[in-house]
Amino acid sequence: MLNTRLKVSEIMAEKYVPMWKNLNMDIEKHNQLLNGLGQYYTSVVLPQKNRPKAMGYFDFVVSEIHGLRVQELAELRAAGKKVIGAFCIYAPEELAYAADATMVGLCGGADFSVPDAEAVLPRNLCPLIKSFYGFRLNRTCPYFQSSDLVVGETTCDGKKKVYELLNELIPTYVLEVPHKPDTPKGKEFWFKELEAFKAELEKVTGNKITAEKLKESIELINNKRKALKRLSDLRAKSPSPISGLDGLLIDQISFNDDVKRFTAKVNELCDELDERVRKGEGVAAKDAPRIMVSGCPMAIPNWKLHSIVQEAGASVVVEESCVGTRYFTNLVEPKGDSVNDLLWALVEKYSQIPCACFTPNDRRVKSVKELAEQFKVEGIIYYTLQNCHDYNVEAVKIERAAKAQDLPMLKIETDYGTGDAAQIKTRVEAFLEIIRGKQ
Ligand code: BJ8
């Protein structure tokens, strides 16, 4: 039944074409995208063995990712609410929800839109950036088409410059992030930026962000982060009760699904996984090497590395990534009730995100060490996207830390194409042999 559901184009095309037309989408190109996505999901995610029953919900979400969820956004907009698109976990979603808006992720994880982007942008640019820009150009991403405002941020140079071009296609507000976020000066600066973003959201939505509203939205997002942390902690068990690919998929979906419903569904899944852990049931072989993937974010449908690692017989137990631990590790913890207190709580939370765009970023090195211990990791696969200087250079420090813990590390630098899949597979297999030799 699910396979049929994932043959999206014929079924969805009928039902959702008027909505997609309303969103000014390129229907023909979009059909090609949906077909490719459906086939990829059906061949990579669905054949996994012993998946938890509760994954049914997340499969359904993917099967309707350009359908039902987009329809929900259209209904919200028809009721006068705004949709805010974002590219980075530095964009404080708590403020968007406090303004009665909805935030959706727009990061590109597909090769599909890269050729369109390369007609404008240089080829030697990060694939994540080319992917999202291409999606806006070719009008095949319904989340872009549904956004009333998009929020960029001055993290890496590639993104920063592309936001200037993106602003020609859709209103793009750029948050200036402090590059030394942990210093008193950095925090003061970020506080001012959050105040300005709050004012922008109030202008766009026409709604005042009150302390009460902000408190509510902090709780809403904290609950989502807590559910994801609960899932992550379950993956730390040995054997891990859920595959790395499914764990990653849930983190990816967290950026687009309805927050309350998503949180409830992740908790339902965790209840099922609790039971598996109690019975000592796992998804991979007992001696499957336990791998941490650390590095650049993997936006949906970037499943390339995880599927290769799994097929080679290893188990990815944690992603040290913004689509992973960096998103949910810390909660917003207000120390008072005023809007200022709540904004300061946001400053404290967001300044702890250990992204390679910031300096110094010792917090990340520490986090990798701690995660390696908590998850009983036997090897690290360092994942960097081509032309991402920040993550590429930071690999040096992560490798030193891995060495100090006597952990083997494999660095993979790749894009969204499949051209290097066979080569990555060979390197992963050789890496796993080293780990097995140490077991
Ligand atoms: S907080 S990781 S989500 S910036 S991969 S576009 S850095 S060249 S995505 Fe990120 Fe926010 Fe940091 Fe996280 Fe540039 Fe590198 Fe590409 Fe990147």
Side-chain angles (χ1 to χ4, degrees):
M1 184 178 134
L2 197 60
N3 285 8
T4 324
R5 226 189 275 142
L6 283 160
K7 281 183 185 157
V8 267
S9 65
E10 306 103 61
I11 302 155
M12 271 200 186
E14 298 279 320
K15 196 167 152 198
Y16 295 118
V17 162
M19 173 179 80
W20 293 331
K21 280 190 177 157
N22 256 344
L23 290 172
N24 189 28
M25 293 178 65
D26 181 332
I27 302 296
E28 204 174 305
K29 203 155 201 174
H30 182 240
N31 274 349
Q32 292 165 19
L33 170 66
L34 282 187
N35 270 336
L37 181 64
Q39 277 165 20
Y40 189 28
Y41 198 78
T42 306
S43 63
V44 168
V45 179
L46 293 182
Q48 297 179 92
K49 299 219 164 63
N50 197 17
R51 298 179 77 214
K53 280 199 187 66
M55 281 309 296
Y57 169 74
F58 301 98
D59 288 332
F60 175 70
V61 170
V62 175
S63 72
E64 286 283 344
I65 198 140
H66 284 201
L68 209 52
R69 180 62 186 139
V70 179
Q71 191 176 299
E72 287 178 350
L73 296 179
E75 284 161 9
L76 287 175
R77 293 176 84 204
K81 302 200 172 173
K82 301 292 179 196
V83 174
I84 314 290
F87 305 90
C88 175
I89 61 166
Y90 240 79
E93 51 193 322
E94 291 87 352
L95 283 176
Y97 284 92
D100 230 359
T102 294
M103 192 173 261
V104 292
L106 296 179
C107 263
D111 206 32
F112 182 82
S113 52
V114 169
D116 290 306
E118 285 179 348
V120 180
L121 301 174
R123 290 193 69 195
N124 59 346
L125 183 68
C126 163
L128 185 150
I129 301 173
K130 286 190 285 190
S131 181
F132 76 65
Y133 184 68
F135 274 121
R136 179 60 199 189
L137 275 182
N138 71 18
R139 296 179 288 114
T140 55
C141 172
Y143 294 92
F144 243 129
Q145 300 304 112
S146 302
S147 294
D148 298 289
L149 175 77
V150 303
V151 191
E153 68 317 309
T154 58
T155 45
C156 68
D157 289 345
K159 272 176 158 182
K160 204 158 59 188
K161 296 313 286 179
V162 168
Y163 293 141
E164 291 175 21
L165 299 174
L166 193 62
N167 190 40
E168 295 167 359
L169 307 170
I170 186 167
T172 304
Y173 180 91
V174 179
L175 283 162
E176 186 170 354
V177 294
H179 282 256
K180 288 178 158 186
D182 244 351
T183 59
K185 220 161 87 187
K187 288 182 184 177
E188 281 289 340
F189 184 88
W190 188 230
F191 180 84
K192 295 232 154 57
E193 275 301 293
L194 292 188
E195 277 189 323
F197 185 46
K198 172 178 166 287
E200 175 71 13
L201 286 167
E202 288 176 337
K203 192 176 91 194
V204 170
T205 60
N207 297 325
K208 183 122 190 73
I209 297 179
T210 61
E212 205 183 6
K213 281 284 206 182
L214 191 48
K215 247 167 117 182
E216 268 171 33
S217 71
I218 286 174
E219 197 188 339
L220 176 81
I221 305 300
N222 272 353
N223 286 341
K224 174 164 77 150
R225 296 190 209 269
K226 275 187 210 161
L228 288 169
K229 172 82 165 66
R230 183 180 168 203
L231 173 61
S232 174
D233 287 347
L234 282 159
R235 289 175 67 191
K237 305 287 180 197
S238 193
S240 192
I242 183 168
S243 75
L245 199 49
D246 280 339
L248 172 67
L249 182 72
I250 292 166
D251 285 337
Q252 290 171 332
I253 291 172
S254 74
F255 294 101
N256 291 68
D257 200 5
D258 172 81
V259 177
K260 267 197 188 148
R261 182 177 58 212
F262 174 83
T263 304
K265 291 295 178 183
V266 173
N267 279 319
E268 261 177 40
L269 169 70
C270 290
D271 292 343
E272 186 181 343
L273 298 186
D274 274 338
E275 194 54 25
R276 282 188 170 194
V277 169
R278 209 181 50 76
K279 292 185 191 152
E281 271 176 29
V283 281
K286 284 222 157 74
D287 58 352
R290 296 172 65 84
I291 302 296
M292 175 194 311
V293 169
S294 169
C296 293
M298 293 172 171
I300 202 165
N302 183 356
W303 305 310
K304 181 163 93 174
L305 182 62
H306 278 58
S307 60
I308 291 172
V309 174
Q310 265 180 221
E311 263 174 42
S315 177
V316 178
V317 290
V318 59
E319 293 81 26
E320 189 280 316
S321 162
C322 289
V323 185
T325 54
R326 291 201 289 269
Y327 175 70
F328 54 72
T329 296
N330 299 104
L331 301 178
V332 180
E333 290 169 3
K335 294 198 172 69
D337 286 331
S338 69
V339 170
N340 262 21
D341 292 332
L342 299 171
L343 285 179
W344 271 111
L346 293 180
V347 168
E348 288 301 332
K349 187 258 171 300
Y350 282 85
S351 61
Q352 290 178 50
I353 297 171
C355 168
C357 296
F358 306 117
T359 188
N361 195 27
D362 299 335
R363 215 183 265 279
R364 176 157 178 242
V365 177
K366 188 167 167 270
S367 159
V368 168
K369 279 189 197 161
E370 287 169 359
L371 291 170
E373 279 168 23
Q374 186 201 345
F375 286 80
K376 298 182 198 73
V377 160
E378 296 170 277
I380 298 175
I381 299 186
Y382 194 93
Y383 175 81
T384 179
L385 288 170
Q386 278 168 8
N387 303 301
C388 173
H389 302 319
D390 297 302
Y391 280 90
N392 226 329
V393 174
E394 202 155 272
V396 175
K397 284 198 172 178
I398 300 295
E399 186 157 31
R400 282 184 202 147
K403 243 192 203 134
Q405 276 180 301
D406 196 25
L407 276 178
M409 182 176 121
L410 171 70
K411 184 179 166 199
I412 303 277
E413 186 181 351
T414 186
D415 60 11
Y416 292 162
T418 50
D420 61 355
Q423 191 207 42
I424 294 176
K425 183 169 177 273
T426 308
R427 292 185 63 208
V428 166
E429 283 168 352
F431 180 64
L432 296 181
E433 275 318 301
I434 295 172
I435 295 176
R436 287 195 178 101
K438 291 178 83 192
Q439 279 180 335

